[in-house]
Structures are given as structure tokens and as C-alpha cells.
Amino acid sequence: MRHRIVTLLLTASVMVTAGCGFHLRGKTNVPDELQTIVLDSGDPYGPLTRDIRTQLRLSNVTIVDDPTGERKDIPSLRIGPETSGQSTASVFQDGKTAEYQMQMSVSATVLMPGKDIYPINAIVFRSFFDNPLTALAKDNEQEIIREEMRQQIAQQLIRKLLSVHASELRKADEVDGKVEVITTGSSASKSSDAMTPSSSVTTPVSTAPASTSAQ
């Protein structure tokens, strides 16, 4: 009986945790060339920047402060402004909104030293039920949901660093492939020249019969 009660309590707690949108924040294996990075944000002390800093540190990334923008030897992660909005997802019978779909998105760029600029972005959607009878609780719930969405966006942006690493590897392979083709073509040209016999002038041989002496 006790075992059954404990099982029911654990099940209920898992359902409540899943329903409130709570997610464990995991560690992302950031590539070596991005293990030290400059974090550039127009709102360095805002909630989104704080969440991104937290996710970078959880992934063992060293954050370098560069307020003057003079560091050109390490990658830079530039965070754009946060964009949010909501739209009606469902309505009550009287036509009033019953459920909203909340949206939050952020665009960022990764600047690799001496290389290219890679745009990355993250977008999150959440549903929110509007209860007109609990206005104060509704505002508090919305703020909690927004903070959870910022945390999810921060996780997405850190994971997108893996796509930057993959793009760098793909470009390096393309450069190596072009060099290999050029080298191979030069060698083939040299080999073809070596196999072609040198031109020589041949003296025509007369096939006319020799003249006989007069009898």
C-alpha cells in the first residue's frame, strides 16, 4: 500500500513538473575553437544576456569582456534584440480570447577571427490560457513563461554554435578540394608533356630508280 502511494505521488509530481514547462538545462559540447568567446550584447545586464552567460558557463566556455571591441583574435557572439509577441489560439463562446500563443525570437551572429560571419537564430512558442477572473495571477504566470522561454532560447543559441563549427569544417574541406584539383591538374599536364615525343625534322627519301649508264 505504501509503495502504491509513493508511486502515485511521484507520478503526480512528474506531471506537474511537465505541465509547468520546467526543463532541466543540459550541457552543450561546444567546439574547441569556440571555448573562449566574447559576448557582445546591447543589453549586457538584461535577463536574456544573463541566461546566455549561464548557458555558456555550464558548457565550460570562457567569456572574455571586451567593451572596446579591440579583441580580434577570438570569436565573438553578438546578441540581437529580443522580439516577442502573441496571437489568439482559441476563443470562448462569447468571442473572448481563451488561449494565446506566445512567441519569442532572437537573432545573433558569430564572428570567427579572420574568417566569416555566421548568423544564427532561435525561436520559441508557448501556449498561455487567459483567465479574466485572475488578472494578477495571469500577469505573474506570463512573466514566468517569458523567463522560461528566454532560457530555452539561450540553450538553442549555444547549440547553434555546433552548426558554426560544421560550416567551418565544410568550408575547409572545400578549400582543400580545390587545392587538390589544381595540383592534380598540374601534375597531369606535366605528365602529358613528358609523354609527348619531341618533334623532329625528317628528310624525305627518294624512291625514284637509279639511272643506268647509256649502252
Side-chain angles (χ1 to χ4, degrees), residues 171-189:
K171 289 188 176 182
D173 290 340
E174 290 176 355
V175 171
D176 292 341
K178 290 180 181 179
V179 172
E180 183 179 356
V181 169
I182 293 173
T183 303
T184 303
S186 300
S187 300
S189 177

Side-chain angles (χ1 to χ4, degrees), residues 2-210:
R2 168 182 264 178
H3 178 71
R4 184 176 299 176
I5 293 175
V6 172
T7 302
L8 291 174
L9 290 175
L10 288 174
T11 304
S13 63
V14 170
M15 293 179 65
V16 170
T17 301
C20 69
F22 177 79
H23 299 280
L24 292 176
R25 292 180 292 182
K27 172 183 175 181
T28 301
N29 294 323
V30 177
D32 294 339
E33 66 268 26
L34 294 167
Q35 284 291 333
T36 302
I37 199 169
V38 173
L39 182 59
D40 186 5
S41 173
D43 187 12
Y45 303 105
L48 177 62
T49 305
R50 291 199 304 267
D51 289 335
I52 293 174
R53 284 181 177 272
T54 300
Q55 289 299 317
L56 287 171
R57 287 167 178 160
L58 285 175
S59 300
N60 298 324
V61 174
T62 301
I63 302 173
V64 177
D65 292 327
D66 183 29
T68 60
E70 296 179 353
R71 295 295 301 269
K72 305 298 182 183
D73 58 328
I74 57 177
S76 175
L77 174 60
R78 295 183 179 178
I79 308 300
E82 170 189 313
T83 303
S84 60
Q86 62 184 24
S87 59
T88 301
S90 63
V91 296
F92 291 111
Q93 292 182 352
D94 57 2
K96 294 182 179 180
T97 301
E99 181 184 6
Y100 290 100
Q101 184 181 56
M102 302 175 63
Q103 173 185 336
M104 183 179 294
S105 62
V106 174
S107 297
T109 54
V110 179
L111 284 74
M112 300 299 291
K115 298 181 181 178
D116 291 334
I117 300 176
Y118 297 92
I120 57 177
N121 60 79
I123 184 168
V124 175
F125 296 94
R126 288 287 299 273
S127 295
F128 171 73
F129 291 94
D130 187 15
N131 187 353
L133 300 179
T134 57
L136 182 59
K138 178 181 66 176
D139 293 340
N140 293 335
E141 184 181 356
Q142 279 186 328
E143 186 56 37
I144 292 173
I145 291 176
R146 289 193 186 96
E147 178 55 31
E148 292 176 353
M149 294 173 73
R150 291 189 188 99
Q151 293 176 5
Q152 293 177 10
I153 281 181
Q155 294 174 16
Q156 285 190 25
L157 289 177
I158 304 308
R159 287 196 295 268
K160 291 293 181 67
L161 296 179
L162 298 175
S163 65
V164 174
H165 174 66
S167 298
E168 284 285 300
L169 292 178
R170 184 169 59 252
K171 289 188 176 182
D173 290 340
E174 290 176 355
V175 171
D176 292 341
K178 290 180 181 179
V179 172
E180 183 179 356
V181 169
I182 293 173
T183 303
T184 303
S186 300
S187 300
S189 177
K190 292 180 180 179
S191 299
S192 176
D193 293 341
M195 294 175 62
T196 303
S198 58
S199 59
S200 59
V201 178
T202 58
T203 304
V205 179
S206 177
T207 59

